[in-house]
Amino acid sequence: MSAAPTMPTAPARPAPATAGAPPLTPVFVRLKLSLLRNGLRQSSGRTAVYVVSLVLTLLFAALVVLGLVALRGNDHAAALVVLLVTLVALGWAAMPLFFPSGDETLDPTRLAMLPLRPRPLIVALLVTSMIGIGPVFTLAVAVGS
């Protein structure tokens, strides 16, 4: 008797690594908020500096927004807005080079050894980077512009 020819079967695919795992973004947001909260609990001096910087940043952002609103209709307002947005963009691009651990939270180099996929990690880090004093100021300048 001869054996019937069999069709080759495809190798079994391993299950995705993220099956059953929670999405990264909410976990990273809770982690960032916990790190900020615990950092502020460490000392009253750190809390005072954070509150003072928050108040000064909000005051400066309000003044910038009011100034831009007052310049509405002026012929040179567009040039000022371009300059202001360029300064903010250069600040966001250059400041991490000089102060790599500026907010002391979620340093990507500490996450390198974890089995995380790049795309969800990038999204989660992008969302968590929008939490803090700097993004509030940037949002105020963008709204005022």
Side-chain angles (χ1 to χ4, degrees):
M1 278 199 208
S2 69
T6 60
M7 297 287 293
T9 59
R13 288 185 175 174
T18 59
L24 283 180
T25 304
V27 172
F28 274 45
V29 168
R30 285 193 315 268
L31 179 63
K32 172 117 181 199
L33 293 173
S34 295
L35 288 169
L36 285 173
R37 182 179 53 244
N38 291 338
L40 293 176
R41 287 182 183 169
Q42 284 182 358
S43 70
S44 59
R46 179 180 264 190
T47 304
V49 167
Y50 187 82
V51 169
V52 167
S53 64
L54 179 65
V55 168
L56 290 176
T57 301
L58 291 176
L59 180 66
F60 187 67
L63 290 174
V64 168
V65 169
L66 287 174
L68 290 172
V69 169
L71 286 175
R72 195 170 43 174
N74 190 337
D75 293 337
H76 303 292
L80 178 66
V81 168
V82 169
L83 178 66
L84 188 62
V85 170
T86 303
L87 285 174
V88 169
L90 285 174
W92 275 105
M95 292 307 274
L97 297 174
F98 300 111
F99 304 103
S101 61
D103 64 354
E104 299 177 2
T105 59
L106 296 181
D107 184 14
T109 58
R110 295 181 185 177
L111 304 171
M113 297 302 291
L114 297 175
L116 301 172
R117 301 267 184 224
R119 186 173 304 262
L121 181 63
I122 289 170
V123 171
L125 288 173
L126 178 66
V127 171
T128 56
S129 70
M130 295 179 195
I131 299 172
I133 297 173
V136 170
F137 176 74
T138 304
L139 180 65
V141 169
V143 167
S145 297

